[in-house]
Amino acid sequence: MTAAVLSARALNRATLARQHLDARVRMPATAMVEHLVGMQAQAPWPPYTGLWARIDGFRHEELAQALTSRRLVRVLLHRGTVHLVSAADCLALRPLVQPVLARGYRAQLRASLADAGRIARLTREVLDERGPLTPGELGAALAELLPGTPAKVLTDVARTTVALVQVPPRAVWGAGGATRYATAESWLGAGQRAAGLPELVRRYLAAFGPASVADVQAWCGLTRLREVTDAMPDLLRVRGEDGAALLDVPDAPRPGPEAPAPVRFLAEFDNVLLSYADRSRIVPGTARPYLFSKNGVIPGTVLVDGVVRAVWRAREGSVAVTPLRRLTGTERGEVEAEGTRLARFLAGAEGEVRVGPVAV
């Protein structure tokens, strides 16, 4: 199946529509997280802002309750980073990305006396016996059973060989707390059962497409997916204006280049910024140095006309915005209005936005 060439602007608008960043929708938080195939969540609070940016009427309590009721969990997943996912996706997607996680611990074990299989078995036994443990407690318990291997190495290998979820009150708004691990199987009361790779590709495209095979691989960390996509005749084959070969699911929205794109404040580490090999559809080249620094911390960003034009951070009940290029009067007004709404959401009361000078 083939389609016409998509301009860069049309590709941007399609991405915004898939991400529900063109218009907020009425949707349960768990359903949105499943649609996005997870939200990056190595920091506990960004998913709250990420859902607020996409869901009409979203409240902190909804995500907090989904975590405490075990409908959503935080687990190591795509690209070897912690993601917020539904219980079903935790059990179905973690086995698929296990080969990606395995790359990380092999080097750590080369000089170790332990092997990954034994660490995994002992991790399950320790957590089944003692209940949720902090990383330090888990590492110390494993070090007693596996002397000669540093506790931190054991903890790192444990979380990459075993699906360990971070249990509440960690990441519960208004509560918080230290990271404590439980196995996904014990926490969710079900075993893992891997989804199929074609299903994974289709879900990625529905949330992030149109996209290239390289984009899909950059998102999940898996390789050799062209063999999978070549065997999927139902996919739409699209061309970018630069000639790039893109894939898509036929029934996904592609609203066209003239579709409106309201100002949106994205959370730190928002997946829409990180889930492509070619990020130019939403991150201009001039913005990259301000987003992808050596410390690995991706700041909150502001989309203006669909692309990153500013960064933001919360400061004592206010939101401070640093434009990456000069904003027009209309753009500044829209940024101030949306930023004020975000400040109120984060503070739980009246908030304000401060737009500073252009970054230099």
Side-chain angles (χ1 to χ4, degrees):
M1 302 175 65
T2 58
V5 172
L6 281 180
S7 68
R9 188 176 175 88
L11 186 61
N12 169 267
R13 293 312 194 250
T15 303
L16 297 180
R18 312 295 171 86
Q19 289 283 311
H20 296 297
L21 292 170
D22 59 342
R24 287 182 171 90
V25 295
R26 286 282 182 178
M27 181 185 291
T30 300
M32 179 64 78
V33 172
E34 283 200 328
H35 168 71
L36 298 174
V37 207
M39 303 179 73
Q40 193 152 324
Q42 66 263 55
W45 312 125
Y48 288 86
T49 301
L51 292 171
W52 169 85
R54 294 168 168 91
I55 297 177
D56 185 19
F58 173 74
R59 295 167 58 85
H60 304 93
E61 294 84 354
E62 185 180 1
L63 175 51
Q65 290 170 1
L67 287 166
T68 56
S69 65
R70 311 189 188 192
R71 288 177 287 125
L72 293 175
V73 294
R74 300 171 71 242
V75 66
L76 206 64
L77 202 65
H78 311 307
R79 304 182 300 280
T81 56
V82 176
H83 274 65
L84 175 74
V85 293
S86 69
D89 277 350
C90 174
L91 298 171
L93 301 183
R94 174 58 188 252
L96 285 184
V97 302
Q98 188 58 44
V100 179
L101 305 179
R103 298 174 202 155
Y105 65 69
R106 284 174 186 150
Q108 291 176 295
L109 288 177
R110 285 195 186 113
S112 170
L113 299 178
D115 65 84
R118 190 178 181 198
I119 294 172
R121 176 176 59 79
L122 291 174
T123 297
R124 292 188 179 94
E125 291 177 0
V126 166
L127 291 175
D128 286 346
E129 178 184 344
R130 305 189 190 183
L133 298 177
T134 67
E137 291 168 346
L138 177 59
L142 291 173
E144 291 179 3
L145 301 171
L146 296 166
T149 304
K152 185 179 184 308
V153 170
L154 292 169
T155 302
D156 289 344
V157 175
R159 65 196 289 266
T160 50
T161 55
V162 181
L164 300 181
V165 299
Q166 298 186 17
V167 304
R170 180 69 171 169
V172 173
W173 193 270
T179 297
R180 287 187 175 274
Y181 292 133
T183 65
E185 294 88 346
S186 65
W187 187 251
L188 300 175
Q192 298 181 56
R193 183 176 180 181
L197 286 174
E199 176 189 350
L200 184 72
V201 170
R202 289 189 187 93
R203 291 186 61 189
Y204 168 81
L205 294 174
F208 294 92
S212 68
V213 175
D215 291 328
V216 185
Q217 294 180 160
W219 165 69
C220 64
L222 295 168
T223 58
R224 303 182 66 179
L225 291 185
R226 187 172 300 279
E227 299 173 11
V228 177
T229 60
D230 284 350
M232 298 173 66
D234 58 311
L235 294 183
L236 189 67
R237 266 65 184 180
V238 185
R239 286 283 173 185
E241 67 178 21
D242 59 355
L246 306 175
L247 303 171
D248 206 3
V249 284
D251 57 351
R254 288 175 290 277
E258 301 310 316
V263 166
R264 285 289 182 265
F265 279 65
L266 301 183
E268 300 94 324
F269 306 103
D270 197 292
N271 276 29
V272 77
L273 305 176
L274 301 171
S275 298
Y276 301 98
D278 180 359
R279 297 162 171 165
S280 62
R281 70 179 64 200
I282 203 164
V283 182
T286 54
R288 289 184 62 86
Y290 300 95
L291 272 61
F292 309 115
S293 59
K294 292 181 179 179
N295 63 11
V297 176
I298 310 299
T301 55
V302 184
L303 301 184
V304 177
D305 195 25
V307 297
V308 175
R309 295 299 187 192
V311 296
W312 69 271
R313 69 176 62 245
R315 290 179 178 171
E316 299 179 353
S318 67
V319 169
V321 177
T322 301
L324 304 183
R325 65 131 167 95
R326 185 171 182 175
L327 303 175
T328 68
T330 299
E331 291 171 344
R332 185 184 179 97
E334 293 176 357
V335 168
E336 289 176 342
E338 184 73 355
T340 298
R341 287 189 283 269
L342 173 61
R344 290 171 180 166
F345 171 77
L346 294 175
E350 290 299 314
E352 63 175 350
V353 63
R354 301 172 184 172
V355 180
V358 175
V360 295

